Amino acid sequence: DSIAEGSNRALDAVGPIAGATISLFYRPERTPLTLPSIVALTLICSSSGFYLFLYFITVGYALGVAVPVLAALIAYNLQHKPKLSALTNVHSGLVVAWGVRAAWFFLYRERVSWPELHTKVVEVNKTARMNAKLFCWLVFSSFYVAMMSPCLHRLNSPDAAWGALGKLAIGIQSFGLFLESVADYQKCKFKSEPGNRNRWCHEGLWKYSTHPNYIGEISFWVGTFLGGIGCYKTTLHWVGSIIGLLFISTVMRGAISSLGAKQLRKYGNDVEFLEFRRTHSIFGPFRWPPQPKESVSL
């Protein structure tokens, strides 16, 4: 029948991971992907942390979000006639693009651009116990499902209007992905140049913000959350989506604090760096409240 033919074409087009997902979880007579199916797929894709512990928050993070959203996007498009709206496809498609880019970046940085990082990742893995890996796998995967839930609610509400807020959300998503991608590229390129590995990056977007990649990440997920508004039909929908946004915001806040302390230890004798940190923040060339010259915060 036509559904079977469509499934076969999709299997040829999207590769083995997405194809296997459709084969296992797609059920045309009901909601294309149930919540247990999404959770199971997230657990599978984030399980790379059992290979290297920190992959739970790098490669496993990226794939654990992107692959289930890709599978849901394909399955819902196969079910709905006519197809989902362009904005609905873009909303989830941007999350897939974010995950593919992030996974590639994590692996490139570790394996090509910064081989010493891979050595550190291996050393951390040697000290990680199985019970810690199991705990992180289950907890992080739960949060990853919460983070992607705005996409799932939007896909499950194909007739919901987008409106001005929804269109703004797509813009915020796009801006965040662009900002994070450019910032990561600029810093990776700078650090890859001879003699720059242990130098402070102060080029491109890094001239204007202490952490432009993190503000891009936060913006992207704020946009993803806002894009689901109008499709949160129950209190549970709201709570789950808010938990996902709070989770990534908390992670980013912790990363900013941790990296800021590390940079102060590493570049604390650089007068130009200290002045930059006194006058700039993650949001750009200003701080509130202003800091005296003898004070530098994270």
Side-chain angles (χ1 to χ4, degrees):
D1 56 29
S2 59
I3 293 179
E5 292 175 358
S7 297
N8 290 333
R9 286 195 298 271
L11 292 177
D12 293 334
V14 302
I17 294 179
T21 299
I22 295 171
S23 304
L24 288 171
F25 299 118
Y26 178 56
R27 298 292 184 272
E29 70 277 4
R30 54 177 182 168
T31 299
L33 289 179
T34 63
L35 180 59
S37 300
I38 291 292
V39 172
L41 189 55
T42 302
L43 287 168
I44 292 170
C45 294
S46 65
S47 63
S48 57
F50 288 106
Y51 168 59
L52 289 172
F53 182 57
L54 292 181
Y55 278 18
F56 282 128
I57 56 173
T58 57
V59 178
Y61 164 43
L63 296 180
V65 172
V67 174
V69 173
L70 173 61
L73 185 60
I74 294 170
Y76 275 94
N77 270 295
L78 286 174
Q79 183 191 57
H80 288 288
K81 303 294 182 183
K83 302 295 186 183
L84 298 173
S85 71
L87 288 179
T88 298
N89 281 301
V90 170
H91 182 234
S92 291
L94 285 171
V95 173
V96 175
W98 166 88
V100 172
R101 188 212 70 88
W104 176 88
F105 173 73
F106 289 137
L107 290 172
Y108 178 83
R109 181 181 62 174
E110 176 191 338
R111 304 283 180 161
V112 179
S113 174
W114 190 6
E116 295 86 354
L117 177 61
H118 178 66
T119 302
K120 295 178 182 179
V121 170
V122 171
E123 290 300 317
V124 170
N125 187 67
K126 290 179 181 178
T127 64
R129 297 185 178 183
M130 182 55 68
N131 57 351
K133 288 188 174 185
L134 284 169
F135 177 80
C136 290
W137 181 48
L138 295 174
V139 171
F140 289 150
S141 293
S142 299
F143 283 121
Y144 298 160
V145 171
M147 287 174 64
M148 73 179 82
S149 62
C151 294
L152 303 178
H153 297 317
R154 176 61 71 174
L155 289 169
N156 201 36
S157 305
D159 298 324
W162 274 90
L165 179 60
K167 294 172 183 177
L168 175 63
I170 295 292
I172 295 173
Q173 267 190 305
S174 302
F175 167 78
L177 179 59
F178 175 78
L179 184 65
E180 183 177 18
S181 301
V182 172
D184 281 342
Y185 169 77
Q186 289 175 339
K187 187 172 184 179
C188 186
K189 183 176 182 294
F190 175 84
K191 292 289 187 177
S192 298
E193 294 175 355
N196 282 357
R197 173 50 58 191
N198 294 314
R199 291 182 58 202
W200 165 48
C201 179
H202 190 49
E203 295 185 355
L205 294 172
W206 299 87
K207 289 181 180 180
Y208 308 103
S209 169
T210 55
H211 305 285
N213 54 339
Y214 291 162
I215 195 65
E217 177 88 351
I218 294 169
S219 298
F220 178 80
W221 289 110
V222 168
T224 301
F225 170 80
L226 293 176
I229 291 180
C231 302
Y232 305 144
K233 299 176 181 177
T234 68
T235 301
L236 186 60
H237 289 176
W238 278 100
V239 170
S241 298
I242 291 172
I243 286 174
L245 183 59
L246 289 177
F247 168 73
I248 190 59
S249 300
T250 302
V251 169
M252 289 294 100
R253 182 177 180 181
I256 290 168
S257 178
S258 175
L259 183 58
K262 181 180 177 182
Q263 288 178 331
L264 282 176
R265 291 193 299 269
K266 193 171 184 179
Y267 310 121
N269 294 324
D270 187 328
V271 176
E272 185 181 1
F273 168 76
L274 294 177
E275 178 63 13
F276 178 79
R277 292 298 296 271
R278 187 183 72 83
T279 58
H280 290 66
S281 71
I282 185 175
F283 299 107
F286 58 88
R287 273 189 177 274
W288 185 262
Q291 292 187 309
K293 287 190 175 182
E294 62 273 13
S295 174
V296 177
S297 73
L298 302 183

